[in-house]
């Protein structure tokens, strides 16, 4: 790998956590070598830089980072334009809290629905919670163009991979969730989002 594309990202092409990082890379228009990994078949090169072999893993010269939010925040600081976290500490802290809430309130259900080992009762429960919770926050998207913000942020980068996967999870939003559905249409049409998609993700819709 030459100096020009020293940045590499080990990514699961179907995983929503890897997708988050690919969205950030696309938003920043960063030249990166995306290395698609089939889970369970981690190459030796990945195990050398990340003892857990987890995905996504970002390698920037001598630095290796894993855990998606750590990677996203690093990329936002490393490539400051366009900024994906607010400039002021209070707004920045609120954005981080929203990311944490997405993780706690929604990702547990997403992970259950996308795990082929999940029991059917677990899936039914997760589907119901996710649908009701997303429909519940929909009015917020009528007030602001992004999730709790007027600017694109890391919060959107965490939310969009979940929304993109709704069809494969069997989650259908009610018509009353129109502000959220409109947000999805706008976001999915953006050039950066389209550039972030793997072939596996394109097949999801």
């Amino acid at each position: 790998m030459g100096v020009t594309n020293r940045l590499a990202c080990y990514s699961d092409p179907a995983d929503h956590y890897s997708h988050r990082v690919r969205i950030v890379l696309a938003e920043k228009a960063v030249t990166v070598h995306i290395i698609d990994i089939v889970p369970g078949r981690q190459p030796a090169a990945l195990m050398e830089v990340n003892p857990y072999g987890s995905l996504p893993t970002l390698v920037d010269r001598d630095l290796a980072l894993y855990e998606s939010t750590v990677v996203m925040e690093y990329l936002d600081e490393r490539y400051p334009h366009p900024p994906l976290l607010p400039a002021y500490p209070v707004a920045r802290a609120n954005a981080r809290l929203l990311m944490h809430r997405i993780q706690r309130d929604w990702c547990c259900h997403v992970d259950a629905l996308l795990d082929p080992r999940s029991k059917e009762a677990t899936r039914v429960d997760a589907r119901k919670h996710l649908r009701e919770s997303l429909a519940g926050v929909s009015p917020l998207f009528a007030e602001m163009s992004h999730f709790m913000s007027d600017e694109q942020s890391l919060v959107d980068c965490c939310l969009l991979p979940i929304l993109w996967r709704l069809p494969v999870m069997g989650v259908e939003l009610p018509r009353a969730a129109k502000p959220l559905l409109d947000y999805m249409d706008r976001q999915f049409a953006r050039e950066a989002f389209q550039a972030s998609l793997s072939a596996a993700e394109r097949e999801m819709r």
Side-chain angles (χ1 to χ4, degrees):
M1 204 183 298
V3 174
T4 49
N5 63 341
R6 65 186 180 275
L7 197 70
C9 181
Y10 291 92
S11 166
D12 176 344
D15 174 60
H16 67 107
Y17 295 109
S18 289
H19 194 184
R20 294 174 169 189
V21 171
R22 283 185 269 111
I23 293 174
V24 175
L25 288 162
E27 289 288 349
K28 306 276 187 183
V30 175
T31 301
V32 59
H33 180 39
I34 302 283
I35 304 163
D36 285 340
I37 302 295
V38 177
R41 293 195 209 155
Q42 279 81 341
L46 172 58
M47 299 306 296
E48 280 171 22
V49 295
N50 175 355
Y52 305 104
S54 58
L55 300 168
T57 294
L58 186 85
V59 180
D60 190 0
R61 293 186 178 176
D62 296 330
L63 176 70
L65 295 173
Y66 30 93
E67 209 292 302
S68 61
T69 48
V70 173
V71 175
M72 292 163 76
E73 292 203 26
Y74 170 74
L75 288 169
D76 196 47
E77 292 175 353
R78 175 86 168 76
Y79 303 96
H81 301 290
L84 293 174
L85 275 177
Y88 298 105
V90 171
R92 192 176 277 246
N94 278 326
R96 288 190 171 112
L97 198 58
L98 277 173
M99 289 161 68
H100 174 69
R101 290 193 64 180
I102 289 171
Q103 187 65 37
R104 283 199 63 157
D105 297 349
W106 294 335
C107 289
C108 56
H109 301 309
V110 173
D111 292 340
L113 286 165
L114 294 175
D115 186 345
R117 298 165 298 183
S118 294
K119 295 189 170 114
E120 189 52 33
T122 305
R123 288 175 191 282
V124 170
D125 189 54
R127 211 172 272 126
K128 177 177 179 285
H129 276 92
L130 195 56
R131 181 180 186 272
E132 289 176 357
S133 190
L134 287 170
V137 299
S138 179
L140 297 172
F141 292 88
E143 297 165 23
M144 294 179 150
S145 56
H146 296 78
F147 191 15
M148 302 288 284
S149 169
D150 287 320
E151 302 288 338
Q152 191 82 359
S153 78
L154 292 184
V155 181
D156 299 289
C157 299
C158 289
L159 178 60
L160 289 168
I162 294 173
L163 298 175
W164 183 257
R165 285 159 175 75
L166 293 183
V168 294
M169 294 189 290
V171 176
E172 194 172 336
L173 294 173
R175 267 188 291 185
K178 190 174 186 310
L180 177 54
L181 293 164
D182 289 346
Y183 162 82
M184 288 162 63
D185 288 343
R186 284 196 311 273
Q187 286 283 345
F188 295 164
R190 295 177 73 247
E191 196 176 330
F193 184 83
Q194 286 294 317
S196 76
L197 294 168
S198 66
E201 283 159 349
R202 288 186 188 282
E203 287 173 12
M204 291 175 183
R205 282 182 174 256

